[in-house]
Amino acid sequence: MNYKNLTFFTNYFPTDDFISGARAWCFVENPNILWDYCDVPTCSSTEQLSDPACVNTETYYSIDADIASIKNSIDDDVTRSHFLGGIVRLVAHDFMDYDFDEAPHLGQDGCLDWTSPSNTGLETIWCDDCALTKLYNAKYSRISRADFWVIAANSVIRQTSINQELDLKKTYYWGRQDLDSCPGSALRLPTTQGCQDVEGVFLERMGLTWQDAVALLGAHTLGRGNKNFSGHHGTWVPNDKEAQIFDKKYYEELFRRAWFPRDEGTLHQDWTTGNPNSASPKMMLNTDVCLLYDIDSKFPCCSRTNLFDNQGNNRCNTEELSNNECSPYDSSNERFPASQAVRKFLGGAGPNNNNEPFYDAFTIAWFKATTNGLDNLKPIRDKC
């Protein structure tokens, strides 16, 4: 299935919540309708049961439990947030090289270009001596790396979501085929320069929508940037403890804080808020800030010029920035849907605990991204 130019897409998995039978249903890209029934052919259960790479419910949740064991064995918040965010980043860097228009299409194939600086840091997540790799080799090598990576990321998302409510099992399909080599695949990954990279990867090559892209970038709520890997340092949320929670905090931080440029004029220019010299800084990338503000038309700028600290100092850090507020998108701008999605994922006008808009949109976007271009995937079975 590929999602370029599609307004809806079909799923073949049985649904516990919607109906006790195995009638097929579809996610529908309609703000008022999340799903509807579809008339589609069913897959052969005999074929699925005879495949040695079959993933059943027991295997899926066994991997989930093993991921939890590794997570719980990590003592400090920095290392744990890096591990959790790193697994999700591993999957994202695998699917973000998909290109509908160019062969090989790539996508979720268990293959990264490990020589590329774009993937620096992931070698601490997947390597011969890494806990995740050892787990795969010891217990789950009968399934593909790509299938395992997605289950591992789904496990992280479930475990770190509020009340562990975001269980993506119902949108999980197996049967991805691994590639042993994918030279140049990292050239398709987004840089951190701005929304032209978001558009190029998510909209143009992957065929997703602005809402999909904004939902997927919400995964930045997990983990942290490390200057020794990406050149960007800090967390997208207030601290490393909160960087272990999968919720809408990323959008709240983006919307409500005074963000201003950091390391301006360098290859690693990004944004920070609060004390720019903090040992544990907060950060946003250009690809984050541009979802809400038109930084192509006005830069440098500060996202909120009306915020002050307890001493009465403007939070934009300099007088120049305090007089130069970033411009929001107007409704005629092609990126306006991105800013609408950010506001939608806030869950309401004031402080609230409503993660449902984000969780619903992320479920759809993650399913699309992890199945893009793959036509022969199969739903989880009760038995294999």
Side-chain angles (χ1 to χ4, degrees):
M1 177 69 70
N2 72 75
Y3 304 102
K4 197 163 187 179
N5 302 320
L6 290 183
T7 57
F8 67 93
F9 51 97
T10 303
N11 301 304
Y12 294 89
F13 48 90
T15 57
D16 299 336
D17 291 343
F18 303 127
I19 191 168
S20 59
R23 186 176 175 187
W25 60 279
C26 311
F27 282 123
V28 180
E29 289 189 347
N30 179 315
N32 300 313
I33 303 172
L34 179 62
W35 65 276
D36 202 352
Y37 293 115
C38 302
D39 294 322
V40 294
T42 58
C43 303
S44 165
S45 60
T46 302
E47 176 188 355
Q48 294 177 22
L49 294 173
S50 63
D51 192 326
C54 171
V55 176
N56 61 15
T57 299
E58 181 182 2
T59 298
Y60 186 93
Y61 284 118
S62 175
I63 294 173
D64 185 296
D66 287 333
I67 295 297
S69 294
I70 298 173
K71 176 192 70 175
N72 294 335
S73 72
I74 302 173
D75 294 331
D76 67 284
D77 289 329
V78 172
T79 305
R80 193 183 305 113
S81 68
H82 170 70
F83 172 73
L84 296 170
I87 292 177
V88 177
R89 182 178 171 226
L90 182 71
V91 172
H93 279 230
D94 194 13
F95 67 58
M96 287 192 299
D97 62 11
Y98 178 77
D99 191 335
F100 172 77
D101 295 315
E102 184 175 333
H105 299 306
L106 300 177
Q108 204 81 65
D109 52 23
C111 186
L112 301 183
D113 181 356
W114 296 103
T115 67
S116 171
S118 297
N119 294 318
T120 300
L122 290 176
E123 76 281 356
T124 65
I125 303 297
W126 190 260
C127 64
D128 289 344
D129 291 327
C130 293
L132 187 67
T133 315
K134 288 182 176 180
L135 173 64
Y136 173 75
N137 289 334
K139 297 180 63 175
Y140 303 110
S141 59
R142 65 174 180 81
I143 68 176
S144 69
R145 283 190 308 276
D147 280 348
F148 175 78
W149 288 358
V150 176
I151 298 174
N154 285 5
S155 303
V156 166
I157 291 164
R158 186 196 68 78
Q159 293 168 26
T160 60
S161 64
I162 301 301
N163 298 322
Q164 300 188 351
E165 69 181 66
L166 188 53
D167 191 337
L168 299 171
K169 171 181 172 287
K170 294 183 181 65
T171 59
Y172 178 79
Y173 278 61
W174 59 271
R176 297 166 184 81
Q177 301 296 310
D178 291 333
L179 289 180
D180 292 326
S181 177
C182 48
S185 61
L187 296 175
R188 296 181 181 178
L189 298 179
T191 72
T192 59
Q193 295 306 302
C195 269
Q196 68 274 12
D197 288 276
V198 179
E199 288 171 326
V201 172
F202 293 104
L203 277 66
E204 295 171 12
R205 294 202 284 275
M206 293 181 66
L208 306 182
T209 67
W210 268 117
Q211 178 166 291
D212 295 330
V214 175
L216 290 172
L217 285 168
H220 278 162
T221 194
L222 288 178
R224 65 184 349 267
N226 188 313
K227 61 186 176 182
N228 296 320
F229 299 148
S230 64
H232 304 282
H233 199 68
T235 55
W236 283 266
V237 294
N239 53 60
D240 284 290
K241 188 171 290 295
E242 292 197 49
Q244 300 170 56
I245 303 172
F246 191 84
D247 63 1
K248 64 186 178 74
K249 179 69 72 174
Y250 164 83
Y251 306 105
E252 294 176 342
E253 293 294 297
L254 178 59
F255 187 79
R256 294 176 179 145
R257 291 193 184 273
W259 295 96
F260 51 85
R262 177 177 68 174
D263 296 331
E264 191 177 343
T266 72
L267 292 174
H268 303 301
Q269 180 267 313
D270 53 24
W271 300 70
T272 194
T273 188
N275 181 359
N277 300 313
S278 169
S280 300
K282 291 177 282 289
M283 72 164 202
M284 290 282 170
L285 305 174
N286 286 336
T287 44
D288 302 309
V289 175
C290 75
L291 300 178
L292 197 56
Y293 301 103
D294 188 359
I295 57 175
D296 285 348
S297 66
K298 182 186 284 189
F299 182 89
C301 60
C302 179
S303 64
R304 296 284 300 272
T305 59
N306 61 342
L307 299 180
F308 299 86
D309 63 21
N310 294 334
Q311 286 72 46
N313 300 311
N314 192 285
R315 291 188 178 276
C316 290
N317 196 45
T318 69
E319 183 177 355
E320 178 184 2
L321 288 172
S322 69
N323 292 310
N324 198 28
E325 187 165 272
C326 299
S327 300
Y329 295 112
D330 62 48
S331 59
S332 65
N333 194 295
E334 62 183 7
R335 294 174 183 166
F336 183 66
S339 64
Q340 286 184 303
V342 172
R343 289 176 168 84
K344 177 180 179 179
F345 299 158
L346 290 172
N352 64 81
N353 297 316
N354 181 19
N355 283 281
E356 186 174 352
F358 170 46
Y359 284 177
D360 285 348
F362 183 85
T363 298
I364 294 172
W366 186 255
F367 173 82
K368 289 182 180 180
T370 57
T371 61
N372 219 344
L374 303 172
D375 296 324
N376 298 310
L377 299 181
K378 304 174 181 71
I380 290 180
R381 307 300 296 176
D382 290 334
K383 296 180 181 180
C384 284

